[in-house]
């Protein structure tokens, strides 16, 4: 491996952040939802929505502006982005293949009257910029909603442009609760 291959992962290590095992998480499929982890179209990588996970467990569940503070929502968005990075690592094999974060859509499980969704989703955007600099600055939307799967506080959907050829086939979540 060259030094460039490890660049982004070294930054994550320096921040004390680790990527989850995406395959293990998909096998667990607590949501019983049906979708795939990612889809590459040319050199665009579309990721399914990701939620905050820390140490293999859902992190900071609840409603921002009621159960959780703005600062906790920001942290939740940061961990949701970390889950997206795990999907990128799985799909591309190397986080340094990301040429540009193209679009980030963030959903915030919001209390009535809570209007700081953009500041919550800054947690995800700020981590992208910490890791990738200007190529981590995406177009973006921050959307308030009432309720996310399994009580999550934040979900992010990321699309990136990548370098090089080939991706790992997507993981599928095809389980239903009967």
């Amino acid at each position: 491996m060259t030094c460039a291959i490890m660049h982004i992962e070294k930054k994550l290590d320096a921040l004390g952040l680790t990527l989850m095992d995406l395959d293990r998480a998909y096998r667990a499929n607590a949501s019983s939802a049906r979708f795939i982890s990612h889809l590459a179209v040319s050199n665009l990588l579309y990721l399914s929505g990701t939620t905050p996970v820390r140490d293999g467990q859902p992190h900071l569940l609840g409603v921002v502006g009621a159960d959780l503070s703005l600062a906790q929502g920001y942290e939740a968005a940061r961990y949701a982005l970390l889950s997206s990075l795990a999907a990128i690592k799985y799909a591309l094999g190397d986080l340094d293949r990301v040429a540009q974060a193209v679009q980030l859509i963030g959903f915030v499980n919001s209390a009535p009257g809570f209007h700081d969704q953009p500041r919550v989703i800054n947690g995800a955007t700020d981590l992208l910029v910490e890791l990738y600099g200007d190529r981590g600055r995406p177009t973006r939307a921050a959307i308030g909603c009432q309720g996310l799967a399994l009580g999550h506080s934040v979900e992010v959907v990321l699309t990136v442009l990548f370098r090089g050829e080939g991706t790992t086939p997507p993981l599928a979540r095809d389980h239903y609760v009967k």
Side-chain angles (χ1 to χ4, degrees), residues 32 175-178:
S32 298
H175 309 286
Y176 288 106
V177 172
K178 304 244 183 215

mmCIF file of all heavy atoms in Angstrom, residues 32 175-178:
data_model
loop_
_atom_site.group_PDB
_atom_site.id
_atom_site.type_symbol
_atom_site.label_atom_id
_atom_site.label_comp_id
_atom_site.label_asym_id
_atom_site.label_seq_id
_atom_site.Cartn_x
_atom_site.Cartn_y
_atom_site.Cartn_z
ATOM 1 N N SER A 32 -35.363 -4.393 9.070
ATOM 2 C CA SER A 32 -36.135 -5.274 8.189
ATOM 3 C C SER A 32 -36.478 -4.603 6.862
ATOM 4 O O SER A 32 -37.411 -4.993 6.178
ATOM 5 C CB SER A 32 -37.412 -5.762 8.879
ATOM 6 O OG SER A 32 -37.081 -6.507 10.021
ATOM 7 N N HIS A 175 -34.329 -8.818 4.131
ATOM 8 C CA HIS A 175 -35.076 -9.552 5.149
ATOM 9 C C HIS A 175 -36.361 -8.800 5.496
ATOM 10 O O HIS A 175 -36.386 -7.594 5.560
ATOM 11 C CB HIS A 175 -34.237 -9.708 6.423
ATOM 12 C CG HIS A 175 -32.883 -10.262 6.142
ATOM 13 N ND1 HIS A 175 -32.676 -11.580 5.817
ATOM 14 C CD2 HIS A 175 -31.671 -9.668 6.115
ATOM 15 C CE1 HIS A 175 -31.387 -11.785 5.625
ATOM 16 N NE2 HIS A 175 -30.757 -10.643 5.795
ATOM 17 N N TYR A 176 -37.382 -9.544 5.715
ATOM 18 C CA TYR A 176 -38.653 -8.982 6.165
ATOM 19 C C TYR A 176 -39.052 -9.628 7.478
ATOM 20 O O TYR A 176 -38.823 -10.807 7.685
ATOM 21 C CB TYR A 176 -39.771 -9.244 5.152
ATOM 22 C CG TYR A 176 -39.688 -8.444 3.896
ATOM 23 C CD1 TYR A 176 -39.288 -9.013 2.704
ATOM 24 C CD2 TYR A 176 -39.997 -7.092 3.916
ATOM 25 C CE1 TYR A 176 -39.204 -8.273 1.551
ATOM 26 C CE2 TYR A 176 -39.927 -6.348 2.758
ATOM 27 C CZ TYR A 176 -39.523 -6.933 1.574
ATOM 28 O OH TYR A 176 -39.461 -6.192 0.439
ATOM 29 N N VAL A 177 -39.655 -8.839 8.328
ATOM 30 C CA VAL A 177 -40.262 -9.390 9.539
ATOM 31 C C VAL A 177 -41.655 -9.828 9.118
ATOM 32 O O VAL A 177 -42.413 -9.082 8.520
ATOM 33 C CB VAL A 177 -40.347 -8.348 10.669
ATOM 34 C CG1 VAL A 177 -41.141 -8.877 11.827
ATOM 35 C CG2 VAL A 177 -38.955 -7.934 11.088
ATOM 36 N N LYS A 178 -41.999 -11.063 9.384
ATOM 37 C CA LYS A 178 -43.311 -11.583 8.962
ATOM 38 C C LYS A 178 -44.325 -11.400 10.053
ATOM 39 O O LYS A 178 -44.082 -11.408 11.194
ATOM 40 C CB LYS A 178 -43.172 -13.062 8.631
ATOM 41 C CG LYS A 178 -42.111 -13.281 7.575
ATOM 42 C CD LYS A 178 -42.687 -13.826 6.346
ATOM 43 C CE LYS A 178 -41.541 -14.070 5.392
ATOM 44 N NZ LYS A 178 -41.685 -13.898 4.106
#
